[in-house]
Amino acid sequence: QVQLVESGGGLVQAGGSLRLSCAASGRTFSSNSMGWFRQAPGKEREFVAAISGAGGRRLFTDSVKGRFTISRDNFKNTVALQMDSLKPEDTAVYYCAADSTDWRIGRRGDEYDYWGQGTQVTVSS
């Protein structure tokens, strides 16, 4: 079992930055690929970014490439999403997710086995 707790959300003006963090407990963290997803009001949950267990491979959705970065610290059992040049369309609840594999970096929600509660990100124009 993996427990995930997100933090770092908040309100920011367009063009600003936020850093989300996800703390994991319960298993060997490096055994899990990790992902970030988001869900805006009235919209389906969408993939944002993912990172493999060792951190060597990363994947981003096109709309955040060049603006968001994903990193992990396997000693601290954390994964972070650095969000720069934020836009109003980035407003959503952001979720951290853990995959039971360390090699897959999936885009689909059903590829992940554990989910956090989410943290709200609001970008004002």
Side-chain angles (χ1 to χ4, degrees):
Q1 191 75 9
V2 176
Q3 292 81 43
L4 303 172
V5 179
E6 303 98 335
S7 61
L11 173 64
V12 64
Q13 288 188 331
S17 298
L18 280 175
R19 184 177 178 87
L20 305 184
S21 184
C22 174
S25 62
R27 290 187 57 183
T28 303
F29 184 61
S30 61
S31 299
N32 304 104
S33 290
M34 300 296 295
W36 286 96
F37 289 75
R38 66 187 180 186
Q39 187 167 20
K43 295 187 176 181
E44 293 188 352
R45 182 179 61 195
E46 66 170 348
F47 169 77
V48 177
I51 187 168
S52 58
R57 293 183 297 129
R58 296 169 173 83
L59 186 66
F60 297 92
T61 192
D62 286 347
S63 63
V64 307
K65 284 181 181 177
R67 299 190 298 121
F68 290 13
T69 57
I70 187 171
S71 61
R72 66 188 296 158
D73 185 332
N74 286 345
F75 293 103
K76 296 181 178 179
N77 285 10
T78 58
V79 60
L81 185 69
Q82 177 66 40
M83 307 185 295
D84 298 320
S85 302
L86 282 161
K87 303 176 181 180
E89 51 264 44
D90 295 317
T91 295
V93 177
Y94 283 70
Y95 297 91
C96 172
D99 186 349
S100 294
T101 76
D102 64 356
W103 51 267
R104 179 173 57 193
I105 45 173
R107 293 179 177 270
R108 302 196 321 263
D110 63 5
E111 293 176 302
Y112 293 83
D113 303 288
Y114 307 98
W115 293 83
Q117 299 277 41
T119 185
Q120 176 71 46
V121 171
T122 303
V123 184
S124 63
S125 57

